[in-house]
C-alpha cells in the first residue's frame, strides 16, 4: 500500500477522548505504527507539515508536537530547508575485546572520519588511566562514523603521546587509527573495560549527529591496554539510541557477522 494511503487510513480512525490521551500523542502513536510497520521506510522523506496536518485533521502546532517527540527520540531527522526524514537504518556494532568500536561496524557502507587530532592537556579520565600529572598532554582525537549522509557515532579519544609518537604523521597521510597502533609497535591490544549507559544529546552533539537536542543517546566509556596491561587509549563515544544494535562477542572477532540469533527489532 502507498505510504500516503496508509497514513490516510491511520489518520481516519476516530480519536479517543482527549482526556484519555492528548490528540498530539495519538498522532504520535499513529506515526509510530507507520514507522514500525515500514510504511514510512528508513531514509524516506515525510509529507510536509501542512499536508500531514490536513491528513490528521489538526493544526500544525498539534502535528508538530507529535513530530518533535519522534525527532527527540531519534526516529525522525529534520534537515534544515529540506524536510523531515525517517532516520537511516540501524547499524550493528561488534563489541569485542580485540576489536575497536570504530573498526567494528557491521555495515560495508560505514565510513570512519577523523575530524581532528590535537595535543591538549589530558582529561581527568586520561590522567587516572595513564597515571599522568595534572597538565600533561595527550593526543586528543575526534572521529565519527557516517553511513551514507548520516552520522551514527561520535568519539573523543585520548592517546599517550609517549607511546604514539608518530600519530600526527600517520593521520596527516590519511592513515587509520589501527595504522597508528601499528606504527607505535602495538600489533594487538585489549579493550580492558567498556561501560555503556543512556543519556541525552547536548546541543553540540545534536548538531553533529543530526538529531534534536535531548534525543536519547547511548554513551560508552572504554579504555584499551597493550599486551603488557598498560593503558594506552581512553575513549568516550555516543550513538543515537535508535541507530545502533550492540552485539557482544566473546569468541572470534567475526562471530557477529553470522549470528545464530534473530536481529534486534528495528524499533521499540
Amino acid at each position: 500500500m502507498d505510504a500516503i494511503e496508509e497514513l490516510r487510513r491511520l489518520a481516519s480512525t476516530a480519536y479517543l477522548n482527549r482526556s484519555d490521551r492528548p490528540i498530539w500523542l495519538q498522532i504520535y502513536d499513529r506515526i509510530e505504527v507507520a514507522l514500525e510497520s515500514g510504511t514510512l521506510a528508513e531514509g524516506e522523506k515525510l509529507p510536509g507539515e501542512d499536508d500531514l496536518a490536513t491528513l490528521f485533521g489538526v493544526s500544525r502546532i498539534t502535528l508538530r508536537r507529535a513530530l518533535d517527540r519522534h525527532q527527540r527520540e531519534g526516529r525522525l531527522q529534520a534537515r534544515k530547508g529540506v524536510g523531515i526524514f525517517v532516520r537511516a537504518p540501524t547499524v550493528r556494532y561488534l563489541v569485542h575485546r580485540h576489536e575497536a568500536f570504530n573498526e567494528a561496524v557491521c555495515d560495508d557502507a560505514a565510513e570512519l572520519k577523523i575530524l581532528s587530532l590535537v595535543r591538549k592537556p589530558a582529561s581527568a579520565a586520561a590522567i587516572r588511566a595513564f597515571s599522568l600529572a595534572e597538565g600533561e598532554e595527550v593526543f586528543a582525537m575526534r572521529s565519527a562514523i557516517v553511513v551514507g549522509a548520516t552520522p551514527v557515532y561520535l568519539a573523543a579519544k585520548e592517546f599517550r603521546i609517549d607511546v604514539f609518537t608518530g600519530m600526527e604523521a600517520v593521520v596527516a597521510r590519511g592513515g587509520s587509527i589501527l595504522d597508528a597502533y601499528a606504527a607505535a609497535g602495538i600489533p594487538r591490544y585489549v579493550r580492558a573495560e567498556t561501560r555503556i549507559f543512556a543519556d541525552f544529546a547536548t546541543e553540540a552533539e545534536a548538531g553533529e549527529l543530526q538529531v534534536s537536542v535531548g534525543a536519547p543517546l547511548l554513551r560508552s566509556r572504554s579504555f584499551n591496554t597493550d599486551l603488557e596491561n598498560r593503558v594506552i587509549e581512553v575513549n568516550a563515544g555516543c550513538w543515537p539510541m535508535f541507530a545502533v544494535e550492540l552485539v557482544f562477542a566473546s569468541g572470534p572477532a567475526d562471530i557477529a557477522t553470522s549470528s545464530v540469533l534473530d536481529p534486534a527489532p528495528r524499533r521499540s
Side-chain angles (χ1 to χ4, degrees):
M1 182 181 294
D2 178 81
I4 296 296
E5 288 304 313
E6 178 61 10
L7 283 173
R8 184 173 286 113
R9 185 190 69 79
L10 291 170
S12 66
T13 305
Y15 292 114
L16 301 174
N17 191 303
R18 68 181 64 213
S19 64
D20 295 325
R21 188 164 176 80
I23 298 299
W24 74 270
L25 278 176
Q26 296 183 53
I27 295 171
Y28 164 89
D29 294 338
R30 297 177 192 196
I31 294 173
E32 183 174 42
V33 169
L35 290 167
E36 290 181 343
S37 67
T39 296
L40 292 174
E42 292 169 328
E44 183 174 351
K45 183 180 178 180
L46 271 65
E49 285 188 0
D50 287 339
D51 291 334
L52 283 175
T54 299
L55 200 63
F56 283 98
V58 296
S59 68
R60 285 184 62 180
I61 294 175
T62 300
L63 183 278
R64 190 171 293 158
R65 290 188 71 184
L67 295 179
D68 284 349
R69 178 158 177 172
H70 278 299
Q71 289 178 62
R72 289 198 306 273
E73 292 178 349
R75 294 182 178 94
L76 298 179
Q77 173 184 355
R79 299 180 189 170
K80 189 173 182 180
V82 180
I84 298 176
F85 293 78
V86 182
R87 189 154 185 97
T90 297
V91 174
R92 297 175 68 216
Y93 286 83
L94 174 64
V95 182
H96 192 276
R97 292 185 62 188
H98 302 295
E99 195 79 12
F101 274 121
N102 52 276
E103 300 289 339
V105 184
C106 303
D107 189 326
D108 292 338
E111 178 186 1
L112 171 68
K113 295 185 177 181
I114 296 177
L115 305 177
S116 64
L117 177 68
V118 298
R119 295 182 183 227
K120 62 183 293 186
S123 68
I127 288 173
R128 291 193 301 271
F130 299 154
S131 298
L132 301 178
E134 189 77 32
E136 280 195 74
E137 290 190 328
V138 294
F139 283 128
M141 175 186 290
R142 293 182 64 258
S143 62
I145 291 176
V146 178
V147 177
T150 304
V152 295
Y153 175 63
L154 294 176
K157 300 172 176 287
E158 293 177 85
F159 302 87
R160 293 180 60 115
I161 287 180
D162 61 335
V163 174
F164 294 92
T165 55
M167 176 168 272
E168 290 164 315
V170 171
V171 171
R173 64 172 180 266
S176 69
I177 297 171
L178 291 186
D179 290 334
Y181 267 90
I186 304 172
R188 186 173 177 177
Y189 64 88
V190 174
R191 184 184 294 119
E193 179 179 284
T194 301
R195 300 186 181 192
I196 297 174
F197 56 97
D199 198 9
F200 300 98
T202 65
E203 185 173 357
E205 290 166 339
E208 291 186 289
L209 289 169
Q210 299 177 14
V211 297
S212 298
V213 175
L217 302 179
L218 286 179
R219 293 193 188 278
S220 67
R221 298 290 184 270
S222 62
F223 62 87
N224 296 340
T225 66
D226 61 17
L227 298 184
E228 297 176 357
N229 206 34
R230 175 179 54 170
V231 181
I232 51 179
E233 177 188 336
V234 172
N235 182 7
C238 64
W239 312 260
M241 189 174 290
F242 289 93
V244 62
E245 175 188 3
L246 299 178
V247 181
F248 291 83
S250 58
D254 61 351
I255 191 171
T257 63
S258 58
S259 176
V260 298
L261 301 177
D262 292 333
R266 283 177 58 248
R267 294 183 173 87
S268 57

